[in-house]
Amino acid sequence: MSDPTDPTDPQPPTGPAAASGATGTPGGPRPEPLRFFGTTWVARDGGYGLRRAGVAAGSLAAAVAGAFVLRFAYEGLAIAQVGGFVNGLLIVMFAVCTAVAFQRTWEGFVRRPADPAREEALRSLKAIGFLGALLAYFMRSLFEAPGEKLARAEYETARAQYEKRRTTRTGNPATRRKRPRR
């Protein structure tokens, strides 16, 4: 049996390509595997609850560890006596970056970015505000697997489109018998 979280597990593409029928998979579209959850989010089985608790605890622990690292960096600047302006600028920079990272990460759980190039440009800002991204991941994992709402909506839409295409077909034309001409 394959591990649903294994990134090397070969699976056909999911999402819009699966919804359009471009994959040719015989059972219709397949759910998109989510990080740390694989496809267990579909039926919420296979240790889904334990994984959610683990992700929540892990992201909170990482946020606390990151806060300690930032505190040590701030203390290093205080020891270096760089001045009040630089200390204030550092605090404002981390606060703004953390807020932006939280907001962008939270929005990413609900909808796909309208402009992927802009998201790519904000990657360094989100890296600086990593505490916001970790806290967003923690808060979202309290309710559901992060990204589950978006993946579920896309999967259900793809399944509905697949079923609609299947039911409107009259059958496989290759298996039909030819009618004799009159």
Side-chain angles (χ1 to χ4, degrees):
M1 186 169 169
S2 66
D3 181 14
T5 59
D6 185 12
T8 60
D9 189 16
Q11 292 184 358
T14 57
S20 66
T23 60
T25 56
R30 296 182 69 179
E32 177 182 355
L34 297 178
R35 182 182 297 150
F36 304 121
F37 294 92
T39 57
T40 60
W41 61 268
V42 176
R44 295 187 173 186
D45 60 351
Y48 172 82
L50 290 174
R51 288 179 191 213
R52 245 184 57 204
V55 165
S59 59
L60 185 61
V64 168
F68 277 121
V69 168
L70 290 179
R71 179 176 176 229
F72 292 140
Y74 181 77
E75 287 177 0
L77 288 175
I79 291 171
Q81 298 176 350
V82 292
F85 177 73
V86 173
N87 286 338
L89 193 63
L90 183 74
I91 291 171
V92 169
M93 179 204 54
F94 273 112
V96 168
C97 290
T98 298
V100 169
F102 181 90
Q103 186 241 357
R104 291 292 181 170
T105 304
W106 191 265
E107 283 181 359
F109 296 143
V110 180
R111 69 175 91 68
R112 300 270 182 217
D115 186 11
R118 185 168 184 215
E119 285 297 313
E120 185 66 30
L122 291 175
R123 177 180 269 176
S124 59
L125 188 116
K126 287 169 64 174
I128 293 170
F130 67 96
L131 284 180
L134 287 170
L135 290 175
Y137 214 78
F138 166 73
M139 302 237 336
R140 196 58 169 196
S141 64
L142 293 177
F143 305 108
E144 65 182 8
E148 178 182 346
K149 184 177 186 178
L150 175 64
R152 188 172 300 280
E154 289 177 348
Y155 177 64
E156 288 174 358
T157 301
R159 288 294 297 178
Q161 289 174 352
Y162 174 77
E163 290 301 323
K164 184 178 177 184
R165 281 193 314 268
R166 269 182 64 108
T167 57
T168 58
R169 278 192 252 164
T170 58
N172 186 353
T175 61
R176 281 193 223 151
R177 293 185 301 171
K178 300 235 180 196
R179 291 184 184 175
R181 291 189 182 186
R182 292 184 193 189

